[in-house]
Amino acid sequence: MKKYVLSLILILLAISLSNGQDLNGAWQSTVTNNEGVSVQFVAIVSGDYFSQAFFEKENGKFMGTMGGALSLKNGSLTYTLEFASFDPDLVGTSDSLPYRLDGNKLYVDDKTWTRLDDGSPSNLAGAWLISGRKRDGQIVKRDTSGPRKTMKILSGTRFQWIAFNTETKEFMGTGGGTYTTTNGKYTENIGFFSRDDSRVGASLQFNYELVDGDWHHYGLSSKGQPIYEVWSKR
């Protein structure tokens, strides 16, 4: 299982950069596993970072996630994992893989990966770290350089958030799906959620604005509690 998953992650990593092409965005592939279950893989690539989640295609049941940093050199894609929900021992490990790209398709062995978007149309595409919250009317900033991080990575239409610790190799949770931004409203449509599969299919709407390069995100949480978060680009 570990070898199978690592092969898939390396394949998805290869979509990030190729010969100067801008291949940021979201990609997907569907694989039928040994139990006959159709598994959906979705990868989001933003600059030097990526995430991948895989879940049952039929019902969104979460199966796993991984991601971290990446780079391309001499025809090989090199990655270093920052989180891996299925095996914490993989955190901090690096590897490389050759690949072949053809337009919006990625071919590796007998698998084909298809582009979902190229990072547009949203102005929020990127890898973000939570850097502050509003408390008692004041923005309280937090240090983003420590090992414990909450990252949200977005393409033009897809999002995933991940809470993890690169020092302890702990994975705390993730969720993701599709999203839209319209007239200052940010709406998430949940496609998978590691902590509660029953949330799949739900939608949440927030207000948002970009202030001095930071993403201010506020509204009511899934539990109906008011939240105000500040996210900064990695």
Side-chain angles (χ1 to χ4, degrees), residues 8-9 37 78 106 145:
L8 288 169
I9 184 67
V37 176
T78 301
L106 171 69
S145 66

Side-chain angles (χ1 to χ4, degrees), residues 88-160:
D89 288 338
L90 294 176
V91 174
T93 64
S94 301
D95 209 339
S96 300
L97 182 77
Y99 60 90
R100 182 175 71 86
L101 269 167
D102 184 6
N104 289 330
K105 298 287 187 178
L106 171 69
Y107 300 93
V108 179
D109 296 328
D110 59 347
K111 296 180 180 65
T112 300
W113 300 83
T114 304
R115 182 181 217 133
L116 295 172
D117 69 62
D118 62 358
S120 61
S122 172
N123 62 352
L124 293 179
W128 304 81
L129 293 175
I130 193 164
S131 60
R133 298 182 187 273
K134 181 175 282 189
R135 295 173 181 168
D136 300 323
Q138 299 293 322
I139 300 292
V140 180
K141 301 293 284 186
R142 60 178 292 181
D143 182 14
T144 61
S145 66
R148 182 166 181 168
K149 302 180 186 298
T150 299
M151 180 173 76
K152 184 172 281 193
I153 186 167
L154 290 84
S155 68
T157 61
R158 300 279 178 145
F159 80 96
Q160 184 181 355

